[in-house]
């Protein structure tokens, strides 16, 4: 990697609008997000307890208590390193395009258009898959309704998909609201999330019957492997739970153009939310480990159909579980609105630079709400299509969960690497790691590559078609379509995609294209 050149940041003394103009864009959104509300967006997307409940099915059979406690702890360290690497970039160039913008800015002129294209599409599908997986997690929560019917009611796939579609419709409605409204909602989301987490951490140990109370030796050292993989690899596969729960933290980057003091608020929100989320999540997992009993196989095979709901039922009883689960579903709903909000902003940014089909239609700001309403509904529609995979079974749903992580990690790896290998001058923002930037980024990239590899493995050895991990198939098809669209004769992106395109004429960063989308002269100027 080339040695980076560090100079004084040009951010000092500039307003948010001036910084954005330097990056090549005019101010189109209202900057209504306070620093705490930016933090709230990231934290609400984690949706800690509901997310842990959704992915407990990946942790329990691949290590049991050890996976819950130590698998989460190991992942947390590396997840924070990823956010630190992204935070530096987000502080240096705070724009809604974020990842694909940085890739174009720092990659070599020979490859930057293609790499920016790949990152733009990977980020877009990763965020949309995150919306879909979150809603499918909420769909899974409907299985817990069986508690109210003494486990006699089991929803069909068609019924749960109908619920999924209705939820997406509601999310799109909320994501279409004015920036000031969705910004204020983040405070409500944070309060509800934290209260739910504290309720589980405090109440679960207090009310669990003695028969389900575990010793410290079992809670911190008990290992249960129901997967069929060797113990070591089973433990590694349990990483899917924290990897999916603490993901989508790039959401703060995509509202950079709606945040006050974005070059400071965005990176600190990203890192702060991740640190708080990993610590609270670890505490929840410890509480579960101490109060879930030792019959892991019984929990997984419970007629309730949802492992976390089964654990809560053993501790709180029927009525208590229904009360807690109602709050879980509400928080999970709020999590989805924030996920779709971030996805719509990434879609808007990429459409602004002409990267998506129907960009002319998507790149529109609603004159009543001053938000990209078309992008919110577009993201919801693609999520609805991804949800059709639920009819292929649980493994297909797992593929959507993994796709949400893998797609985003590809979008993270390329700009972080390009920053050091592209040979471009590095101009830090207010948030900077200094000399630690290189080692932190190298470790973060290595961890993400490792995570992608394990996330495409099947849940058990010798899989059949019914229990195969289809993540690699879904991702491969998406990347293939992305490349075919780029290189397609005459109409492909290689003929017209120029990377980030300036839509303002003053004090523009020389690394982005000046002029109209089809301007070859502008592309030549940007490469000089």
């Amino acid at each position: 990697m080339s040695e980076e050149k560090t100079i004084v940041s040009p951010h000092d003394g500039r307003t948010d609008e001036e910084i954005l103009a330097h990056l090549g864009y005019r101010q189109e959104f209202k900057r209504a997000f306070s620093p705490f509300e930016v933090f709230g967006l990231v934290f609400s997307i984690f949706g800690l307890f509901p997310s842990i409940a959704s992915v407990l099915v990946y942790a329990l059979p691949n290590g049991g208590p050890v996976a819950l406690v130590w698998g989460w702890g190991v992942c947390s360290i590396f997840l924070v390193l990823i956010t630190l690497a992204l935070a530096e970039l987000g502080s240096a160039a705070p724009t809604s395009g974020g990842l694909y913008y940085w890739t174009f800015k720092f990659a070599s002129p020979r490859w930057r258009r293609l790499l920016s294209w790949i990152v733009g599409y990977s980020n877009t599908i990763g965020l949309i898959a995150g919306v879909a997986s979150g809603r499918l997690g909420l769909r899974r929560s409907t299985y817990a309704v069986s508690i109210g019917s003494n486990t006699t009611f089991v929803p069909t796939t068609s019924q749960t998909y109908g619920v999924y579609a209705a939820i997406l419709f509601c999310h799109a409605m909320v994501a279409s609201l004015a920036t000031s409204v969705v910004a204020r909602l983040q405070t409500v989301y944070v309060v509800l999330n934290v209260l739910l987490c504290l309720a589980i951490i405090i109440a679960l140990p207090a009310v669990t019957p003695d028969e389900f109370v575990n010793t410290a030796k079992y809670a911190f050292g008990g290992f249960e492997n129901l997967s069929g993989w060797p113990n070591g690899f089973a433990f590694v596969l349990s990483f899917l739970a924290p990897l999916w729960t603490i993901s989508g933290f790039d959401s703060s980057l995509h509202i950079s153009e709606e945040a006050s003091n974005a070059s400071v608020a965005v990176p600190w929100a990203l890192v702060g939310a991740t640190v708080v989320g990993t610590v609270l999540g670890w505490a929840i997992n410890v509480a579960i480990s101490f109060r879930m009993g030792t019959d892991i196989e019984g929990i997984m095979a419970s007629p309730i159909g949802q492992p976390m709901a089964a654990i809560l039922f053993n501790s709180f009883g029927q009525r208590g579980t229904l009360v807690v689960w109602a709050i879980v579903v509400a928080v999970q709903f709020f999590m989805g609105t924030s996920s779709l909000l971030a996805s719509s902003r990434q879609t808007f940014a990429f459409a602004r630079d002409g990267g998506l089909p129907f960009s002319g239609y998507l790149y529109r700001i609603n004159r009543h709400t001053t938000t990209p309403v078309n992008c919110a509904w577009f993201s919801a529609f693609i999520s609805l299509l991804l949800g059709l995979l639920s009819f292929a079974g649980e493994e297909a749903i797992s593929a959507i969960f993994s796709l949400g992580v893998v797609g985003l990690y590809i979008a993270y790896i390329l700009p972080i690497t390009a920053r050091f290998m592209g040979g471009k001058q590095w101009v830090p923002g207010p948030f900077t790691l200094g000399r630690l930037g290189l080692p932190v980024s190298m470790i973060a990239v290595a961890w993400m590559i490792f995570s992608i590899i394990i996330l495409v493995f099947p849940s058990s050895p010798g899989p059949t078609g019914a229990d195969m991990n289809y993540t690699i198939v879904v991702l491969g098809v998406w990347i293939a379509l992305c490349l075919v669209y780029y290189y397609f004769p005459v109409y492909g992106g290689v003929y017209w995609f120029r990377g980030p395109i300036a839509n303002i004429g003053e004090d523009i960063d020389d690394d982005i294209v000046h002029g109209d989308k089809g301007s070859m002269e502008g592309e030549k100027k940007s490469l000089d």
Side-chain angles (χ1 to χ4, degrees), residues 42-55 72 193-194 196-197 201 241-242 244-246 273-282 284-285 308 331-332 335:
V42 184
F43 191 76
S44 66
I45 286 178
F46 293 162
L48 278 176
F49 184 70
S51 294
I52 290 172
S54 294
V55 297
W72 184 281
N193 264 288
V194 172
L196 178 59
C197 291
I201 293 169
W244 183 79
T245 302
I246 308 296
T274 303
V275 171
V276 173
T278 54
V279 172
L280 268 179
W282 187 81
I284 291 171
N285 281 327
M308 181 63 77
V331 171
Q332 206 162 15
M335 170 188 168

Side-chain angles (χ1 to χ4, degrees), residues 54 132-145 155-165 167 305-306 325 329 332 387 389-391 393-394 396-398 401:
S54 294
S133 58
R135 291 336 86 226
L136 288 173
L138 182 51
R139 183 197 71 89
R140 279 178 173 173
S141 296
T142 61
Y143 284 107
V145 174
T156 65
T157 301
S158 297
Q159 289 171 331
T160 53
Y161 184 78
V163 172
Y164 168 78
I167 291 168
Q306 219 290 346
W325 209 256
V329 171
Q332 206 162 15
L389 290 173
S390 63
F391 287 94
E394 285 296 315
I397 295 175
S398 299
F401 274 73

Side-chain angles (χ1 to χ4, degrees), residues 489-508:
V490 182
Y491 301 104
V494 69
Y495 297 100
W496 47 263
F497 180 69
R498 304 302 172 208
I501 302 167
N503 62 13
I504 193 169
E506 299 178 1
D507 190 25
I508 301 171

Side-chain angles (χ1 to χ4, degrees), residues 424-514:
K424 299 295 183 67
Q425 189 177 56
W426 167 247
V427 183
F431 183 98
T432 176
L433 299 177
R435 294 182 178 180
L436 291 176
L438 177 59
V440 166
S441 296
M442 289 180 65
I443 295 172
V445 168
W447 174 258
M448 286 188 283
I449 293 173
F450 171 71
S451 298
I452 290 173
I453 292 172
I454 64 173
L455 288 173
V456 300
F457 270 83
S459 58
S460 60
T464 64
D467 56 9
M468 182 63 188
N469 186 337
Y470 290 97
T471 304
I472 192 66
V473 177
V474 177
L475 180 67
V477 169
W478 177 262
I479 295 296
L481 290 174
C482 169
L483 293 176
V484 168
Y485 185 30
Y486 186 78
Y487 286 111
F488 197 81
V490 182
Y491 301 104
V494 69
Y495 297 100
W496 47 263
F497 180 69
R498 304 302 172 208
I501 302 167
N503 62 13
I504 193 169
E506 299 178 1
D507 190 25
I508 301 171
D509 189 326
D510 289 335
D511 281 313
I512 79 165
V513 177
H514 301 234

Side-chain angles (χ1 to χ4, degrees), residues 239-265:
F239 291 169
L240 177 58
L243 288 175
W244 183 79
T245 302
I246 308 296
S247 68
F249 32 65
D250 62 305
S251 56
S252 63
L253 307 173
H254 301 302
I255 59 162
S256 293
E257 296 175 30
E258 298 168 80
S260 301
N261 196 17
S263 58
V264 175

Side-chain angles (χ1 to χ4, degrees), residues 86-141:
L86 291 175
E88 275 202 299
L89 290 164
S91 181
T95 172
S96 295
L99 302 165
Y100 78 85
Y101 180 99
W102 307 331
T103 303
F104 185 88
K105 179 178 176 63
F106 295 114
S108 68
R110 180 179 180 183
W111 297 106
R112 64 183 185 176
R113 284 199 298 150
L114 174 60
L115 293 178
S116 180
W117 175 276
I118 292 173
V119 169
Y121 273 95
S122 295
N123 195 192
T124 301
I125 192 60
L127 288 170
I128 291 176
V131 174
S133 58
R135 291 336 86 226
L136 288 173
L138 182 51
R139 183 197 71 89
R140 279 178 173 173
S141 296

